[in-house]
Amino acid sequence: MEKLTIPEKTVERLPLYLRRSEELYSQGSESATSQKFVKDLPGISSAILRKDLSYFGNYGKKGTGYEIPKLIGRLREILKLHVETKVILVGAGNLGTALLTNSEFDHWGFEITSAFDSDPDVIGEEIGGVRVQSSQDLEQVIQIEGTKMAMLAVPANNAQSVTDSIVSAGIRGILNFTPILLEVPEEITVKRVDIMSKLKELNYHLDT
Amino acid sequence: MEKLTIPEKTVERLPLYLRRSEELYSQGSESATSQKFVKDLPGISSAILRKDLSYFGNYGKKGTGYEIPKLIGRLREILKLHVETKVILVGAGNLGTALLTNSEFDHWGFEITSAFDSDPDVIGEEIGGVRVQSSQDLEQVIQIEGTKMAMLAVPANNAQSVTDSIVSAGIRGILNFTPILLEVPEEITVKRVDIMSKLKELNYHLDT
DNA sequence: TAGATTGTTAATCGATTAACAATC
DNA sequence: TAGATTGTTAATCGATTAACAATC
């Protein structure tokens, strides 16, 4: 069977399409043309929207456009939002607390199953419905739960050692909120949330 | 005078190069070849590093590579880290607090000059050396300070109205931490910190 | 000098856009 | 049917890579 590979750029745009669909729907639109759809999505043309969607099937109606509720359903399927993916959080400081109390995870098919911290004052606290556990139990809990994804919101100086530990316990994907460039085996995927780089790009654009 | 435009992708990689340079330096390296430099920078080849750097001048030495301290200095110049750029923060909740107590801003040439919130319990508090002001004073403070950049860490339902207000007060670049797709005039630049999209991409890679 | 690596050119690759036949 | 827009092809554009002359 031939496996069609979806371009990386397309994968990156899909969540944006879902957000935009939900926005249009909440504004009362039942359908939208590709033109109307990409209005206010900077850098995305109607042609690219049509091409991106066409990788997954024929969702539009020639002459009229796309039915929003149907599109939302399809995008939620493609993005597998009906399956709950377990994620752990390491580091329950201010940022960790913001993540634990963020209601978006649920909407996007994620469940933060456990949170960890090394501060005795924080261990045992319940934040956003999750009880914070000791970092000492990290590896054990990952192995028991079988969790494959982790968010890393610890201080920079702990980032690499925590990474080594969660990777050896079975974590395969890491969302890294620290400024550290983590070293991991090549089969492990790391994505960074890099605020400073984003700010610098913004700054660069304002100057240009 | 001809203005050489730097590719967007190159601009995005520069902060990463600075981080990697500082990492190498802190590990005791005084110099590095392009090969050694891009080790552990996934998706970046030595050729692309050399090409990116060559847009700004000849920083390497043929036969030996790049001198790290010199490279750090050059990158800090290119990225204009010697100039302090003023940024305001709107929303001093958990995420806002994490930003206010993040020491990276200073290192990257940013100063959070003011923070705003609408919660009376938070207004007047000092967080990370910045006193939280009332959102009612937002426009006035922006105009007096002449700030051009803002970070938006407010609840989703306030995001668009706060945006309208800061844009009318003179803000030209926004780093958006909310899930809302902001509508702004086309001369205003918005960048998003989109955690759910990053998690979804990560998730997609683990499945594939 | 001999060995090594940069800076740069030309070739390749992939993604975006323009354009239009198919069709609702 | 007439008008409009999708889905898709071919052309364009831009970014990455391979390769090597220049040179430290």
Side-chain angles (χ1 to χ4, degrees), chain B residues 95-181:
Chain B
L95 176 58
T97 300
L99 294 169
L100 286 168
T101 54
N102 183 333
S103 61
E104 287 264 298
F105 288 96
D106 187 46
H107 179 74
W108 288 87
F110 294 106
E111 186 196 358
I112 304 179
T113 53
S114 315
F116 301 89
D117 204 288
S118 55
D119 180 350
D121 290 349
V122 179
I123 295 167
E125 292 284 306
E126 194 182 298
I127 306 173
V130 178
R131 194 161 301 278
V132 180
Q133 301 175 63
S134 166
S135 295
Q136 292 180 349
D137 302 332
L138 199 49
E139 301 200 28
Q140 199 190 351
V141 175
I142 291 169
Q143 280 160 3
I144 292 170
E145 285 186 354
T147 321
K148 297 294 172 223
M149 289 177 64
M151 294 188 288
L152 196 63
V154 300
N157 55 315
N158 295 333
Q160 186 61 55
S161 69
V162 169
T163 299
D164 296 344
S165 147
I166 62 179
V167 166
S168 81
I171 290 292
R172 318 226 354 125
I174 298 172
L175 187 60
N176 178 19
F177 288 86
T178 81
I180 302 298
L181 301 171

Side-chain angles (χ1 to χ4, degrees), chain B residues 1 19 28 36 43-44 59-60 68 75 77-78 80 99 103-104 117 123 127 130 136 147 154-155 160 162 182 184 205:
Chain B
M1 190 178 94
R19 280 230 164 82
K36 180 181 171 190
I44 298 182
Y59 298 168
I68 305 288
L75 285 167
E77 260 178 60
I78 295 167
K80 301 209 198 81
L99 294 169
S103 61
E104 287 264 298
D117 204 288
I123 295 167
I127 306 173
V130 178
Q136 292 180 349
T147 321
V154 300
Q160 186 61 55
V162 169
L182 300 174
V184 292
H205 285 292

Side-chain angles (χ1 to χ4, degrees), chain A residues 24-156:
Chain A
L24 286 164
Y25 191 63
S26 76
Q27 288 167 4
S29 300
E30 286 285 329
S31 76
T33 65
S34 57
Q35 288 271 350
K36 180 181 172 191
F37 194 95
V38 300
K39 177 93 169 32
D40 297 320
L41 293 183
I44 298 182
S45 69
S46 61
I48 213 145
L49 169 74
R50 295 199 300 277
K51 193 163 224 286
D52 282 345
L53 293 179
S54 77
Y55 287 115
F56 303 97
N58 295 7
Y59 297 167
K61 241 205 193 93
K62 288 171 207 236
T64 56
Y66 297 87
E67 287 172 45
I68 304 288
K70 183 177 159 189
L71 189 57
I72 290 174
R74 300 283 200 176
L75 285 168
R76 292 184 62 84
E77 260 177 64
I78 295 166
L79 289 164
K80 299 210 200 83
L81 298 199
H82 52 287
V83 187
E84 282 265 296
T85 302
K86 288 185 273 184
V87 188
I88 59 156
L89 169 70
V90 194
N94 288 314
L95 177 57
T97 301
L99 294 170
L100 286 169
T101 54
N102 183 333
S103 61
E104 287 264 297
F105 288 96
D106 187 46
H107 179 73
W108 289 87
F110 295 107
E111 186 197 358
I112 304 180
T113 53
S114 315
F116 300 89
D117 204 288
S118 55
D119 180 350
D121 290 349
V122 179
I123 295 167
E125 292 284 306
E126 193 182 300
I127 307 173
V130 177
R131 194 161 300 278
V132 179
Q133 301 174 65
S134 166
S135 295
Q136 291 180 349
D137 302 332
L138 199 49
E139 301 200 27
Q140 199 191 350
V141 174
I142 291 170
Q143 280 161 3
I144 292 170
E145 285 186 353
T147 322
K148 296 295 172 224
M149 290 178 63
M151 295 188 288
L152 197 62
V154 299

Side-chain angles (χ1 to χ4, degrees), chain B residues 37-49:
Chain B
F37 194 96
V38 300
K39 177 93 170 30
D40 297 319
L41 294 183
I44 298 182
S45 69
S46 61
I48 212 144
L49 169 73

